[in-house]
Amino acid sequence: MTHHPHAPGAVLALDIGGTKLAAGVVQSDGTTLAFARCPTASQDGPRAVLKRLFDLGRAVLGTAGTAPGDLLGTGIGCGGPLDPVAGVLLAPPHLPGWRNVPVVELAREAYGLPAVLDNDGTAGAAGEWRFGAGRGTRHLVYLTVSTGIGGGMVLDGRTYRGAAGNGGEPGHITVRPDGRPCRSCGRAGCLEAYASGTSIAERADEAVAEARAGGVPTLLGDRDPLTAADVTAAAGAGDPVATAVWEETLDALSTGLISLVNVFEPELVVLGGGVTRAGEPLMGPLRREVAERAMGPAASAVRLTTASGGDQAGVLGAAAIAFERLAPDDRAR
């Protein structure tokens, strides 16, 4: 299929993040005609944030030279919990004070277009499957390892949502039954409590305090606040304190991945998010661990790769769910 900007082969895609809002005009082959971001400033409350988001959408429509009437509709991705059928944000932890916000209805009013809402992890999985690293696969598991750990799944060529619309939450697999409390769900030992960027930084701070108390020198000591990138850099330079933190991170992440691979037997696991910028020091050990420790058939069927969406991942995900749900006969891959 060939598209031109004014065919209904494009959607407006909106991504509501805890720190950034993003908008784009995306064609059905994944080409982005326009893209923009701005700070969320969630403390301003839902009304002000959504006005900013919808204005950002109008700005990208202007850049793309596309009138709303030329579009199939609007896709919106946001962290849950949310109701993708009713199009309502229930109580997303990254947007404090947002309760039962009817974002789909508000988007319809703003643009006069049909709109759909999905969990950003589900949207990310759909985006990588339709436009990115997962093209041509039937079974894909997607993890985004950033401030928290989100993700989603495409199983047997269909985006998986679960019974209440928020299924496919890989960040909340238990990797340490008596482990650290998870900040977002409150249970002990979740994958997110060990391998998210936030957790890596927290555990590094604790390890530095312990090293100082014991008089152990570490390259991590003089940075504040520490980040996951500091940990990978210091571990790469041979620092024993950073290496211990990084190895615990890898062990938790590989334990979670092996469970997912054993249960779903995907062809592809796609890892996105800021922590994956570590590159080979992350992906190499994970590939080895999955190959050695997952069940034989599952281990031989799966590949691990990094996400291809980059800064536009959220917008491409929101676009993918718009094409999927607003044009269900669309099979353009």
Side-chain angles (χ1 to χ4, degrees), residues 129-246:
W129 179 72
R130 184 175 282 261
F131 302 131
R135 275 186 202 215
T137 61
R138 288 192 66 73
H139 311 282
L140 172 150
V141 170
Y142 168 76
L143 268 80
T144 173
V145 188
S146 52
T147 311
I149 294 185
M153 295 181 288
V154 173
L155 302 176
D156 207 17
R158 297 178 72 91
T159 307
Y160 177 77
R161 289 181 177 82
N166 292 275
E169 281 284 4
H172 300 287
I173 282 185
T174 303
V175 293
R176 298 278 186 281
D178 302 312
R180 301 170 69 86
C182 175
R183 292 208 164 178
S184 35
C185 81
R187 293 181 317 119
C190 286
L191 178 57
E192 184 172 300
Y194 285 87
S196 67
T198 313
S199 160
I200 295 167
E202 273 178 13
R203 288 184 300 108
D205 284 334
E206 290 163 16
V208 166
E210 204 174 302
R212 281 191 174 146
V216 177
T218 169
L219 298 171
L220 286 172
D222 48 3
R223 295 184 186 86
D224 187 49
L226 287 170
T227 66
D230 295 329
V231 173
T232 52
D239 180 76
V241 177
T243 299
V245 172
W246 187 240

Side-chain angles (χ1 to χ4, degrees), residues 7-12 28 67-74 113-115 319 322-328 330:
V11 295
L12 175 62
S28 63
D70 298 328
L71 297 173
L72 184 63
T74 307
L113 289 170
F323 285 115
E324 177 186 322
R325 292 175 57 190
L326 297 172
D330 169 59

Side-chain angles (χ1 to χ4, degrees), residues 72-318:
L72 184 63
T74 307
I76 306 161
C78 185
L82 51 80
D83 183 333
V85 179
V88 174
L89 295 175
L90 301 174
H94 70 303
L95 298 168
W98 289 46
R99 289 279 180 282
N100 302 322
V101 179
V103 66
V104 160
E105 193 182 305
L106 297 169
R108 278 201 297 254
E109 285 169 13
Y111 301 111
L113 289 170
V116 288
L117 169 71
D118 248 308
N119 183 293
D120 55 3
T122 303
E128 286 293 334
W129 179 72
R130 184 175 282 261
F131 302 131
R135 275 186 202 215
T137 61
R138 288 192 66 73
H139 311 282
L140 172 150
V141 170
Y142 168 76
L143 268 80
T144 173
V145 188
S146 52
T147 311
I149 294 185
M153 295 181 288
V154 173
L155 302 176
D156 207 17
R158 297 178 72 91
T159 307
Y160 177 77
R161 289 181 177 82
N166 292 275
E169 281 284 4
H172 300 287
I173 282 185
T174 303
V175 293
R176 298 278 186 281
D178 302 312
R180 301 170 69 86
C182 175
R183 292 208 164 178
S184 35
C185 81
R187 293 181 317 119
C190 286
L191 178 57
E192 184 172 300
Y194 285 87
S196 67
T198 313
S199 160
I200 295 167
E202 273 178 13
R203 288 184 300 108
D205 284 334
E206 290 163 16
V208 166
E210 204 174 302
R212 281 191 174 146
V216 177
T218 169
L219 298 171
L220 286 172
D222 48 3
R223 295 184 186 86
D224 187 49
L226 287 170
T227 66
D230 295 329
V231 173
T232 52
D239 180 76
V241 177
T243 299
V245 172
W246 187 240
E247 283 181 350
E248 184 180 43
T249 305
L250 289 172
D251 185 62
L253 199 45
S254 61
T255 299
L257 279 179
I258 287 159
S259 295
L260 289 165
V261 166
N262 286 345
V263 173
F264 296 108
E265 210 171 270
E267 293 141 88
L268 191 66
V269 172
V270 181
L271 293 170
V275 174
T276 60
R277 290 195 195 107
E280 196 49 30
L282 176 75
M283 298 303 288
L286 289 181
R287 285 192 182 103
R288 284 195 297 277
E289 286 291 302
V290 170
E292 284 171 22
R293 291 168 53 203
M295 308 276 287
S300 56
V302 74
R303 284 187 304 118
L304 268 64
T305 189
T306 47
S308 59
D311 288 344
Q312 298 189 14
V315 155
L316 288 168

